[in-house]
Amino acid sequence: MAGELGARKQNQAAYDDLIAFCKLMMPEFIVGKHHRILADMLMGIEKGDKDRVCVNIPPRHGKSQLVSIFYPAWFLGRNPDKKVMMVSHTTDLAVDFGRKVRNLIATDAYRSVFPTVKLAQDSKSAGRWNTNVGGEYYACGIGSALAGRGADLAMIDDPVSEQDALSTTALDNVYEWYTSGPRQRLQPGGAIIIVMTRWGKKDLTG
C-alpha cells in the first residue's frame, strides 16, 4: 500500500512539474540550475502565463533533451488536443525529435502519469502523428511548406546549423521563413519557443 501511495505521489508530481516528469522518464537525467530556470519558463507557456520564450544556450547543455523531447511529451499529456509544431535546421533532426517524443508517449511510464493519453492507432510516421483525442505533432525543417498547418505551440530548436552560422544568406532565409511560416500559423492564443545556440548577431535571436 505504501509503495502504491508513493507511486501515485510520484506520478502526480510528474504531472504537475516538468523536471519531476523528466526524472521519472529518465532517472539518470542530471538537473542543472539552468534546467530548472528553463523548465519554469516552459511551464509558464503551458499555463498560458507566457506566449513567447527565447533562450540562448551553448552546445552540450542538455537543452534539446529537455525542450524538444520531454517538454512536448509533457505538454501533450496535459493538452492532448493541442497542435505542436517542431522545427529545426533540418527536417531529419526535427523528425528524430518527433520519433523520440512518440516513443516516449508509448511507454508504460508515460501512461502512469497520463493514463488517458495515447497515440492514435494510425500514428506510424515519426514526424507526423496524432493523439487519441485529435492532438497533432508535426516536425519540419527550416524552409518546409506549411500550407494547411496550424500550431498551438511552435518550437524552434537551433534553426541554423553551426556550418551555416556565418552565411548571411542562410540567416536571412531562416528569418524570412520564420516570419512567413510558423509565426503566421499560430492558433489563437498560440505560443512560440525558440531555443538556440548563438553564432552571430544576425541570427534568429538577433
Side-chain angles (χ1 to χ4, degrees), residues 79-111:
N79 306 274
D81 59 337
K82 299 291 188 183
K83 297 178 184 294
V84 173
M85 181 183 293
M86 181 71 229
V87 181
S88 194
H89 55 268
T90 68
T91 296
D92 284 348
L93 182 57
V95 168
D96 189 52
F97 289 141
R99 180 180 296 105
K100 290 173 180 175
V101 177
R102 183 196 62 183
N103 292 349
L104 185 61
I105 289 175
T107 64
D108 291 339
Y110 185 89
R111 281 194 291 271

Side-chain angles (χ1 to χ4, degrees), residues 8-172:
R8 276 208 300 265
K9 285 183 176 180
Q10 190 178 42
N11 291 335
Q12 185 62 50
Y15 182 94
D16 293 335
D17 182 78
L18 178 56
I19 292 295
F21 174 76
C22 294
K23 291 294 290 181
L24 183 60
M25 296 299 108
M26 184 181 176
E28 66 272 23
F29 184 74
I30 299 173
V31 182
K33 288 183 179 179
H34 66 291
H35 290 120
R36 181 72 266 175
I37 294 169
L38 184 52
D40 288 344
M41 290 182 180
L42 297 172
M43 289 166 65
I45 285 272
E46 191 276 332
K47 291 174 184 174
D49 297 335
K50 301 176 185 292
D51 60 9
R52 299 290 187 275
V53 166
C54 183
V55 180
N56 302 133
I57 301 179
R60 310 305 302 168
H61 278 65
K63 63 180 173 60
S64 292
Q65 186 75 48
L66 174 60
V67 177
S68 300
I69 299 171
F70 287 136
Y71 179 64
W74 184 80
F75 179 89
L76 285 170
R78 293 172 60 92
N79 306 274
D81 59 337
K82 299 291 188 183
K83 297 178 184 294
V84 173
M85 181 183 293
M86 181 71 229
V87 181
S88 194
H89 55 268
T90 68
T91 296
D92 284 348
L93 182 57
V95 168
D96 189 52
F97 289 141
R99 180 180 296 105
K100 290 173 180 175
V101 177
R102 183 196 62 183
N103 292 349
L104 185 61
I105 289 175
T107 64
D108 291 339
Y110 185 89
R111 281 194 291 271
S112 70
V113 181
F114 303 108
T116 64
V117 181
K118 301 176 183 177
L119 295 168
Q121 288 189 344
D122 59 351
S123 290
K124 295 187 170 52
S125 169
R128 179 183 174 186
W129 43 264
N130 299 80
T131 68
N132 57 324
V133 293
E136 181 182 287
Y137 182 102
Y138 180 69
C140 63
I142 293 292
S144 298
L146 297 178
R149 293 286 166 195
D152 296 290
L153 176 64
M155 307 183 65
I156 302 174
D157 184 338
D158 278 335
V160 64
S161 68
E162 188 174 352
Q163 291 75 23
D164 288 335
L166 299 179
S167 167
T168 301
T169 300
L171 297 177
D172 287 345

